[in-house]
Every structure is written in C-alpha cells, then in structure tokens.
Coordinates of all heavy atoms in Angstrom, one line a residue:
M1 N 105.4 55.0 -147.8 CA 105.2 54.6 -149.2 C 103.8 55.1 -149.7 O 103.7 55.8 -150.6 CB 105.3 53.1 -149.3 CG 104.8 52.6 -150.7 SD 105.0 50.8 -150.8 CE 104.4 50.5 -152.4
Y2 N 102.8 54.8 -148.9 CA 101.4 55.3 -149.4 C 101.3 56.8 -149.4 O 100.7 57.3 -150.4 CB 100.4 54.6 -148.5 CG 100.1 53.2 -148.8 CD1 100.3 52.2 -147.9 CD2 99.6 52.9 -150.1 CE1 100.0 50.9 -148.2 CE2 99.4 51.6 -150.4 CZ 99.6 50.6 -149.5 OH 99.4 49.3 -149.8
P3 N 101.7 57.5 -148.4 CA 101.5 59.0 -148.4 C 102.2 59.6 -149.7 O 101.6 60.5 -150.3 CB 102.2 59.5 -147.1 CG 102.1 58.3 -146.2 CD 102.2 57.1 -147.1
K4 N 103.3 59.1 -150.1 CA 104.0 59.6 -151.3 C 103.2 59.3 -152.5 O 103.0 60.2 -153.4 CB 105.4 59.0 -151.4 CG 106.2 59.6 -152.5 CD 107.7 59.6 -152.2 CE 108.5 60.1 -153.4 NZ 108.6 61.5 -153.5
M5 N 102.6 58.1 -152.5 CA 101.8 57.7 -153.7 C 100.6 58.6 -153.7 O 100.0 58.9 -154.8 CB 101.4 56.2 -153.6 CG 102.6 55.3 -153.9 SD 102.3 53.6 -153.5 CE 101.4 53.1 -154.9
L6 N 100.0 58.9 -152.5 CA 98.9 59.8 -152.4 C 99.1 61.1 -153.0 O 98.3 61.7 -153.7 CB 98.5 59.9 -150.9 CG 97.1 60.3 -150.6 CD1 96.0 59.4 -151.2 CD2 96.9 60.3 -149.1
E7 N 100.3 61.7 -152.7 CA 100.7 63.0 -153.3 C 100.7 62.9 -154.8 O 100.2 63.8 -155.5 CB 102.2 63.3 -152.8 CG 102.3 63.8 -151.4 CD 101.4 65.0 -151.1 OE1 101.6 66.0 -151.9 OE2 100.6 65.0 -150.2
V8 N 101.3 61.8 -155.3 CA 101.3 61.7 -156.8 C 99.9 61.6 -157.4 O 99.6 62.3 -158.3 CB 102.2 60.4 -157.2 CG1 102.0 60.2 -158.7 CG2 103.6 60.6 -156.7
A9 N 99.1 60.8 -156.7 CA 97.7 60.7 -157.2 C 97.0 62.0 -157.2 O 96.3 62.4 -158.1 CB 96.9 59.7 -156.3
K10 N 97.2 62.8 -156.1 CA 96.6 64.1 -156.0 C 97.1 65.0 -157.2 O 96.3 65.7 -157.8 CB 96.9 64.8 -154.7 CG 95.9 64.5 -153.6 CD 96.3 65.2 -152.3 CE 95.4 64.7 -151.2 NZ 96.0 65.0 -149.9
S11 N 98.4 65.1 -157.4 CA 99.0 66.0 -158.3 C 98.5 65.6 -159.7 O 98.4 66.5 -160.6 CB 100.5 66.0 -158.3 OG 101.0 64.8 -158.7
E12 N 98.2 64.3 -159.9 CA 97.7 63.9 -161.3 C 96.2 64.0 -161.4 O 95.6 63.8 -162.4 CB 98.2 62.5 -161.5 CG 99.7 62.3 -161.8 CD 100.1 60.9 -161.9 OE1 99.2 60.0 -161.7 OE2 101.3 60.7 -162.2
G13 N 95.6 64.4 -160.2 CA 94.1 64.5 -160.2 C 93.4 63.2 -160.4 O 92.3 63.2 -160.9
N14 N 94.1 62.1 -160.0 CA 93.5 60.8 -160.1 C 92.7 60.5 -158.8 O 93.2 59.9 -157.9 CB 94.6 59.8 -160.3 CG 94.0 58.4 -160.7 OD1 92.9 58.1 -160.4 ND2 94.8 57.6 -161.3
K15 N 91.4 60.9 -158.9 CA 90.6 60.7 -157.7 C 90.4 59.3 -157.3 O 90.3 58.9 -156.1 CB 89.2 61.4 -157.9 CG 89.4 62.9 -158.0 CD 89.8 63.6 -156.7 CE 90.2 65.1 -156.9 NZ 91.0 65.6 -155.9
E16 N 90.3 58.4 -158.3 CA 90.0 57.0 -158.1 C 91.2 56.4 -157.3 O 91.0 55.7 -156.3 CB 89.8 56.3 -159.4 CG 89.1 55.0 -159.3 CD 87.7 55.2 -158.7 OE1 87.0 56.1 -159.1 OE2 87.4 54.4 -157.8
A17 N 92.4 56.7 -157.7 CA 93.6 56.1 -157.0 C 93.7 56.7 -155.6 O 94.0 56.0 -154.7 CB 94.8 56.5 -157.8
E18 N 93.3 58.0 -155.5 CA 93.4 58.6 -154.2 C 92.5 57.9 -153.2 O 92.9 57.6 -152.1 CB 93.0 60.1 -154.3 CG 93.3 60.9 -153.1 CD 92.9 62.4 -153.4 OE1 93.1 62.9 -154.5 OE2 92.3 63.0 -152.5
R19 N 91.3 57.6 -153.6 CA 90.3 56.9 -152.8 C 90.9 55.5 -152.3 O 90.8 55.1 -151.2 CB 89.0 56.7 -153.5 CG 88.0 57.8 -153.1 CD 86.6 57.3 -153.3 NE 86.4 57.1 -154.8 CZ 86.1 58.0 -155.7 NH1 85.9 59.2 -155.3 NH2 85.9 57.7 -156.9
S20 N 91.4 54.7 -153.3 CA 91.9 53.4 -152.9 C 93.1 53.5 -152.0 O 93.2 52.6 -151.1 CB 92.1 52.5 -154.1 OG 93.0 53.2 -155.0
F21 N 94.0 54.5 -152.2 CA 95.1 54.6 -151.3 C 94.6 54.9 -149.9 O 95.1 54.5 -148.9 CB 96.1 55.7 -151.8 CG 96.8 55.3 -153.0 CD1 97.1 56.2 -154.0 CD2 97.3 54.0 -153.1 CE1 97.8 55.8 -155.1 CE2 98.0 53.6 -154.3 CZ 98.2 54.5 -155.3
H22 N 93.6 55.8 -149.8 CA 93.0 56.1 -148.5 C 92.5 54.9 -147.8 O 92.8 54.7 -146.6 CB 91.9 57.2 -148.7 CG 91.2 57.5 -147.4 ND1 91.9 58.3 -146.4 CD2 90.0 57.3 -146.9 CE1 91.1 58.4 -145.4 NE2 90.0 57.8 -145.6
H23 N 91.8 54.0 -148.5 CA 91.3 52.8 -148.0 C 92.4 51.9 -147.5 O 92.4 51.4 -146.4 CB 90.5 52.0 -149.0 CG 89.0 52.2 -149.0 ND1 88.1 51.5 -149.7 CD2 88.3 53.1 -148.2 CE1 86.9 52.0 -149.4 NE2 87.0 52.9 -148.5
A24 N 93.5 51.8 -148.2 CA 94.6 51.0 -147.9 C 95.2 51.5 -146.6 O 95.5 50.8 -145.7 CB 95.6 51.0 -149.0
N25 N 95.3 52.9 -146.4 CA 95.8 53.4 -145.2 C 95.0 53.1 -144.0 O 95.5 52.7 -143.0 CB 95.9 55.0 -145.4 CG 97.2 55.4 -146.0 OD1 98.2 54.7 -145.8 ND2 97.2 56.5 -146.6
E26 N 93.7 53.2 -144.2 CA 92.7 52.9 -143.0 C 92.9 51.5 -142.6 O 93.0 51.2 -141.4 CB 91.3 53.2 -143.5 CG 91.0 54.6 -143.7 CD 91.2 55.4 -142.4 OE1 90.7 55.0 -141.3 OE2 91.9 56.4 -142.5
V27 N 92.9 50.6 -143.6 CA 93.0 49.1 -143.2 C 94.4 48.8 -142.6 O 94.5 48.1 -141.6 CB 92.8 48.3 -144.5 CG1 93.2 46.8 -144.2 CG2 91.4 48.4 -145.0
E28 N 95.4 49.5 -143.1 CA 96.8 49.3 -142.5 C 96.8 49.7 -141.0 O 97.4 49.1 -140.2 CB 97.8 50.0 -143.3 CG 98.2 49.2 -144.5 CD 99.5 49.7 -145.1 OE1 100.0 50.7 -144.6 OE2 99.9 49.1 -146.1
K29 N 96.2 50.8 -140.8 CA 96.1 51.4 -139.4 C 95.4 50.3 -138.5 O 95.9 50.1 -137.4 CB 95.3 52.7 -139.3 CG 96.2 53.9 -139.3 CD 95.3 55.2 -139.1 CE 95.1 55.9 -140.4 NZ 94.1 56.9 -140.4
I30 N 94.3 49.8 -138.9 CA 93.6 48.8 -138.1 C 94.4 47.5 -137.9 O 94.5 47.0 -136.8 CB 92.2 48.5 -138.8 CG1 91.3 49.7 -138.8 CG2 91.6 47.3 -138.2 CD1 90.3 49.7 -139.8
H31 N 95.1 47.1 -139.0 CA 95.9 45.9 -138.8 C 97.1 46.2 -137.9 O 97.4 45.3 -137.0 CB 96.5 45.5 -140.2 CG 95.5 44.8 -141.1 ND1 95.8 44.4 -142.4 CD2 94.2 44.4 -140.8 CE1 94.7 43.8 -142.8 NE2 93.8 43.8 -141.9
A32 N 97.6 47.4 -137.9 CA 98.7 47.7 -137.0 C 98.2 47.7 -135.6 O 99.0 47.2 -134.7 CB 99.2 49.1 -137.4
Q33 N 97.0 48.1 -135.3 CA 96.4 48.1 -134.0 C 96.3 46.7 -133.5 O 96.6 46.4 -132.3 CB 95.1 48.8 -134.0 CG 95.2 50.3 -134.0 CD 93.8 50.9 -134.3 OE1 92.8 50.3 -134.2 NE2 93.8 52.2 -134.5
L34 N 95.8 45.8 -134.4 CA 95.7 44.4 -134.0 C 97.0 43.8 -133.6 O 97.1 43.1 -132.6 CB 95.0 43.6 -135.1 CG 93.5 43.7 -135.3 CD1 93.0 42.9 -136.5 CD2 92.8 43.2 -134.0
Y35 N 98.0 44.0 -134.5 CA 99.3 43.4 -134.2 C 99.9 44.0 -132.9 O 100.5 43.3 -132.1 CB 100.3 43.8 -135.4 CG 99.9 43.1 -136.6 CD1 100.0 43.7 -137.9 CD2 99.5 41.7 -136.6 CE1 99.7 43.1 -139.0 CE2 99.1 41.1 -137.8 CZ 99.2 41.8 -139.0 OH 98.9 41.1 -140.2
Q36 N 99.7 45.3 -132.7 CA 100.2 45.9 -131.4 C 99.5 45.3 -130.2 O 100.2 45.0 -129.2 CB 99.9 47.4 -131.5 CG 100.6 48.2 -130.3 CD 102.1 48.0 -130.4 OE1 102.7 48.1 -131.4 NE2 102.7 47.6 -129.3
K37 N 98.2 44.9 -130.3 CA 97.5 44.3 -129.3 C 98.1 42.9 -128.9 O 98.3 42.6 -127.8 CB 96.0 44.1 -129.7 CG 95.1 44.5 -128.6 CD 93.7 44.2 -129.0 CE 93.0 45.4 -129.6 NZ 91.6 45.0 -129.9
L38 N 98.5 42.2 -130.0 CA 99.1 40.9 -129.8 C 100.5 41.1 -129.1 O 100.9 40.3 -128.2 CB 99.3 40.2 -131.1 CG 98.0 39.6 -131.7 CD1 98.3 38.9 -133.0 CD2 97.3 38.6 -130.7
L39 N 101.2 42.1 -129.5 CA 102.5 42.3 -128.9 C 102.4 42.7 -127.5 O 103.2 42.3 -126.6 CB 103.3 43.5 -129.7 CG 103.7 43.1 -131.1 CD1 104.3 44.3 -131.8 CD2 104.7 42.0 -131.1
D40 N 101.4 43.5 -127.1 CA 101.2 44.0 -125.8 C 100.7 42.8 -124.9 O 101.0 42.8 -123.7 CB 100.1 45.1 -125.7 CG 100.6 46.4 -126.3 OD1 101.8 46.5 -126.5 OD2 99.8 47.3 -126.6
N41 N 100.0 41.9 -125.4 CA 99.5 40.7 -124.7 C 99.9 39.4 -125.3 O 99.1 38.8 -126.0 CB 98.0 40.8 -124.6 CG 97.5 42.1 -124.0 OD1 97.6 42.4 -122.8 ND2 96.9 42.9 -124.9
P42 N 101.2 39.0 -125.1 CA 101.7 37.8 -125.7 C 100.8 36.6 -125.4 O 100.6 35.7 -126.3 CB 103.1 37.6 -125.1 CG 103.4 38.9 -124.6 CD 102.1 39.6 -124.2
G43 N 100.2 36.5 -124.2 CA 99.3 35.4 -123.9 C 98.1 35.3 -124.7 O 97.6 34.2 -125.0
A44 N 97.6 36.4 -125.2 CA 96.4 36.5 -125.9 C 96.5 35.8 -127.3 O 95.6 35.2 -127.8 CB 95.9 37.9 -126.2
S45 N 97.8 35.8 -127.8 CA 98.0 35.2 -129.1 C 97.8 33.7 -129.1 O 97.6 33.0 -130.1 CB 99.3 35.5 -129.7 OG 100.3 35.0 -128.8
R46 N 97.9 33.1 -127.9 CA 97.7 31.6 -127.7 C 96.3 31.2 -127.7 O 95.9 30.1 -127.9 CB 98.5 31.1 -126.5 CG 99.9 30.7 -126.9 CD 100.7 30.3 -125.7 NE 101.8 31.2 -125.3 CZ 101.9 31.8 -124.2 NH1 101.1 31.5 -123.2 NH2 102.9 32.6 -123.9
E47 N 95.4 32.2 -127.4 CA 94.0 31.8 -127.4 C 93.4 31.8 -128.8 O 94.0 32.5 -129.7 CB 93.2 32.9 -126.5 CG 93.5 32.9 -125.1 CD 92.9 34.0 -124.3 OE1 91.7 34.3 -124.6 OE2 93.5 34.7 -123.5
T48 N 92.4 31.1 -129.0 CA 91.8 31.0 -130.3 C 90.7 32.1 -130.4 O 89.7 32.0 -129.7 CB 91.2 29.7 -130.7 OG1 91.6 28.7 -129.7 CG2 91.7 29.2 -132.0
Y49 N 90.9 33.0 -131.3 CA 89.9 34.0 -131.6 C 89.4 33.8 -133.0 O 90.2 33.5 -133.8 CB 90.5 35.4 -131.5 CG 90.7 35.9 -130.1 CD1 92.0 36.4 -129.7 CD2 89.7 36.0 -129.2 CE1 92.2 36.9 -128.4 CE2 89.9 36.4 -127.9 CZ 91.1 36.9 -127.5 OH 91.3 37.4 -126.3
A50 N 88.2 34.1 -133.2 CA 87.7 34.1 -134.5 C 87.8 35.5 -135.0 O 87.6 36.5 -134.2 CB 86.2 33.7 -134.6
Y51 N 88.2 35.7 -136.2 CA 88.3 37.0 -136.8 C 87.4 37.1 -138.0 O 87.2 36.1 -138.7 CB 89.8 37.3 -137.3 CG 90.8 37.5 -136.2 CD1 91.4 36.4 -135.7 CD2 91.0 38.8 -135.8 CE1 92.3 36.6 -134.7 CE2 91.9 39.0 -134.8 CZ 92.6 37.9 -134.2 OH 93.5 38.1 -133.2
Y52 N 86.8 38.3 -138.2 CA 86.0 38.5 -139.4 C 86.6 39.5 -140.3 O 87.0 40.6 -139.8 CB 84.6 38.9 -138.9 CG 83.8 37.8 -138.2 CD1 84.0 37.6 -136.8 CD2 83.0 37.0 -138.9 CE1 83.4 36.6 -136.2 CE2 82.3 36.0 -138.2 CZ 82.5 35.8 -136.9 OH 81.8 34.8 -136.3
V53 N 86.7 39.2 -141.5 CA 87.4 40.0 -142.5 C 86.4 40.5 -143.5 O 85.7 39.7 -144.1 CB 88.6 39.3 -143.2 CG1 89.3 40.2 -144.2 CG2 89.6 38.8 -142.1
C54 N 86.5 41.8 -143.7 CA 85.6 42.4 -144.8 C 86.1 42.0 -146.1 O 87.3 42.1 -146.5 CB 85.7 44.0 -144.7 SG 84.8 44.8 -146.0
P55 N 85.1 41.4 -147.0 CA 85.5 40.9 -148.3 C 85.9 42.0 -149.3 O 86.4 41.8 -150.3 CB 84.3 40.1 -148.7 CG 83.2 40.8 -148.0 CD 83.7 41.3 -146.7
V56 N 85.5 43.3 -148.9 CA 85.7 44.4 -149.9 C 87.0 45.1 -149.6 O 87.8 45.3 -150.5 CB 84.5 45.4 -149.8 CG1 84.8 46.6 -150.7 CG2 83.2 44.7 -150.2
C57 N 87.3 45.5 -148.3 CA 88.4 46.3 -148.1 C 89.5 45.6 -147.2 O 90.6 46.1 -147.0 CB 88.0 47.6 -147.5 SG 87.5 47.5 -145.7
G58 N 89.1 44.5 -146.6 CA 90.1 43.8 -145.7 C 90.1 44.2 -144.3 O 90.9 43.8 -143.5
Y59 N 89.1 45.1 -143.9 CA 89.0 45.5 -142.5 C 88.8 44.2 -141.7 O 88.1 43.3 -142.0 CB 87.8 46.4 -142.3 CG 87.4 46.7 -140.9 CD1 88.1 47.6 -140.1 CD2 86.4 45.9 -140.2 CE1 87.8 47.9 -138.8 CE2 86.1 46.2 -138.9 CZ 86.8 47.1 -138.2 OH 86.5 47.4 -136.9
T60 N 89.5 44.1 -140.5 CA 89.4 42.9 -139.7 C 88.8 43.3 -138.3 O 89.1 44.2 -137.7 CB 90.9 42.4 -139.4 OG1 91.5 42.2 -140.7 CG2 90.8 41.1 -138.7
S61 N 87.8 42.4 -137.9 CA 87.1 42.6 -136.6 C 87.3 41.4 -135.8 O 87.3 40.3 -136.3 CB 85.6 42.8 -136.9 OG 85.0 43.0 -135.7
E62 N 87.6 41.6 -134.5 CA 87.8 40.5 -133.6 C 86.5 39.9 -133.1 O 85.6 40.7 -132.7 CB 88.6 40.9 -132.4 CG 90.1 41.2 -132.7 CD 90.8 41.7 -131.4 OE1 91.2 40.8 -130.6 OE2 90.8 42.9 -131.2
K63 N 86.4 38.6 -133.0 CA 85.3 37.8 -132.3 C 84.0 37.9 -133.0 O 83.3 37.0 -133.2 CB 85.2 38.2 -130.9 CG 86.4 37.9 -130.1 CD 86.3 38.4 -128.7 CE 87.6 38.2 -127.9 NZ 87.7 38.9 -126.6
E64 N 83.5 39.2 -133.4 CA 82.2 39.4 -134.0 C 82.4 40.4 -135.1 O 83.1 41.3 -135.0 CB 81.2 39.9 -133.0 CG 80.9 39.0 -131.9 CD 79.8 39.6 -131.0 OE1 79.3 40.7 -131.3 OE2 79.6 39.0 -129.9
P65 N 81.6 40.2 -136.2 CA 81.6 41.2 -137.2 C 80.8 42.4 -136.8 O 79.9 42.3 -136.0 CB 80.9 40.5 -138.4 CG 80.0 39.5 -137.8 CD 80.7 39.0 -136.5
P66 N 81.2 43.6 -137.2 CA 80.4 44.8 -136.9 C 79.1 44.8 -137.7 O 78.9 43.9 -138.6 CB 81.3 45.9 -137.4 CG 82.1 45.3 -138.5 CD 82.3 43.9 -138.1
D67 N 78.1 45.6 -137.4 CA 76.9 45.7 -138.1 C 77.2 46.0 -139.6 O 76.6 45.4 -140.5 CB 76.0 46.8 -137.6 CG 75.4 46.4 -136.2 OD1 75.4 45.2 -135.9 OD2 75.0 47.3 -135.4
S68 N 78.1 46.9 -139.8 CA 78.6 47.2 -141.1 C 80.0 47.7 -141.0 O 80.5 48.2 -140.0 CB 77.7 48.3 -141.8 OG 77.8 49.5 -141.1
C69 N 80.8 47.5 -142.1 CA 82.2 47.8 -142.1 C 82.4 49.3 -141.9 O 81.8 50.1 -142.6 CB 82.8 47.4 -143.4 SG 84.6 47.8 -143.5
P70 N 83.2 49.7 -140.9 CA 83.5 51.1 -140.6 C 84.3 51.8 -141.7 O 84.4 53.0 -141.8 CB 84.2 51.1 -139.3 CG 84.8 49.8 -139.2 CD 83.9 48.8 -139.9
V71 N 85.0 51.0 -142.5 CA 85.8 51.6 -143.6 C 85.0 51.7 -144.9 O 85.0 52.8 -145.5 CB 87.1 50.7 -143.8 CG1 87.9 51.2 -145.0 CG2 87.9 50.6 -142.6
C72 N 84.3 50.7 -145.3 CA 83.7 50.8 -146.6 C 82.1 50.6 -146.6 O 81.5 50.7 -147.6 CB 84.3 49.8 -147.6 SG 83.9 48.0 -147.2
G73 N 81.6 50.2 -145.4 CA 80.2 50.1 -145.2 C 79.5 48.8 -145.6 O 78.3 48.7 -145.6
T74 N 80.3 47.8 -145.9 CA 79.8 46.5 -146.3 C 79.1 45.9 -145.0 O 79.6 46.0 -143.9 CB 81.0 45.6 -146.7 OG1 81.5 46.1 -147.9 CG2 80.5 44.1 -147.0
K75 N 78.0 45.2 -145.3 CA 77.2 44.6 -144.2 C 78.0 43.5 -143.4 O 78.8 42.8 -144.1 CB 75.9 43.9 -144.7 CG 74.9 44.9 -145.3 CD 74.0 45.4 -144.2 CE 73.0 46.4 -144.7 NZ 73.3 47.8 -144.3
G76 N 77.9 43.5 -142.1 CA 78.6 42.6 -141.3 C 78.4 41.1 -141.7 O 79.3 40.3 -141.5
K77 N 77.2 40.8 -142.2 CA 77.0 39.4 -142.5 C 77.7 38.9 -143.7 O 77.8 37.7 -144.0 CB 75.5 39.2 -142.7 CG 74.8 39.9 -143.9 CD 73.4 39.6 -143.9 CE 72.7 40.5 -145.0 NZ 71.3 40.5 -145.0
M78 N 78.3 39.9 -144.5 CA 79.1 39.6 -145.6 C 80.6 39.2 -145.2 O 81.3 38.7 -146.0 CB 79.2 40.8 -146.6 CG 77.8 41.2 -147.2 SD 77.2 39.9 -148.3 CE 78.4 40.1 -149.7
F79 N 80.9 39.6 -144.0 CA 82.3 39.3 -143.5 C 82.6 37.9 -143.5 O 81.8 37.0 -143.3 CB 82.5 39.9 -142.1 CG 82.8 41.4 -142.0 CD1 82.0 42.3 -142.7 CD2 83.8 41.8 -141.3 CE1 82.3 43.6 -142.7 CE2 84.1 43.2 -141.2 CZ 83.4 44.1 -141.9
K80 N 83.9 37.6 -143.8 CA 84.3 36.2 -143.8 C 84.9 35.8 -142.5 O 85.8 36.6 -142.0 CB 85.4 36.0 -144.9 CG 84.8 36.0 -146.3 CD 85.8 35.7 -147.4 CE 85.2 35.8 -148.7 NZ 86.1 36.5 -149.7
K81 N 84.5 34.7 -141.9 CA 85.1 34.3 -140.6 C 86.4 33.6 -140.9 O 86.6 32.7 -141.7 CB 84.1 33.3 -140.0 CG 84.5 33.0 -138.6 CD 83.5 32.0 -137.9 CE 83.9 31.8 -136.5 NZ 83.4 30.5 -136.0
M82 N 87.4 34.0 -140.0 CA 88.7 33.3 -140.1 C 89.0 32.8 -138.7 O 88.9 33.5 -137.7 CB 89.8 34.4 -140.4 CG 89.5 35.4 -141.4 SD 89.7 34.8 -143.1 CE 91.5 34.7 -143.1
D83 N 89.3 31.5 -138.6 CA 89.6 30.9 -137.3 C 91.0 30.9 -137.0 O 91.8 30.7 -137.9 CB 89.1 29.5 -137.2 CG 87.6 29.4 -137.5 OD1 86.8 30.0 -136.7 OD2 87.1 28.8 -138.4
Ligands
ZN101 ZN1 85.2 47.1 -145.6

C-alpha cells in the first residue's frame, strides 16, 4: 500500500507526502522486527519489558530509549515509556 502511495506522491511532486510515507515505512519495518522477535521467542512475550516510543514518529525501542531517535532524531529523553 505505501510503496504505491509513494509512487503517486512522487509523480505529483509532493515532497512533503513522500517524506511522511518514508517515515511510515521505516517505523513499520521496526515494528515488524519487534513482532517477529516475539514470534521467534514465544517465552519472551510473557516477560515484562518496558518499551519506549518516540512521540514524533512512533519508533519503538526495547528496555531503554536510544540517545536519539534513529528515524527522526528526537532526543531519547522525550520518548514515552510503555510498560
Ligand atoms: Zn522518532
């Protein structure tokens, strides 16, 4: 769905839309990796992990926030903790 929308955004020369679709793709990739990890280790899903979520783009980090968001550059201290 996103790649097709990206094509449309490009053909219309809508750089703003292109950027936000790119962000969405990056975040989806990261979320997919996290879900895959849970599928690979069913036992891990029973443990309580704290997750930190970027308030700007939704990037999710396990256990600790990064120094800054690898997707949009938001400072780690701005991340929201999710238990
Ligand atoms: Zn971010």
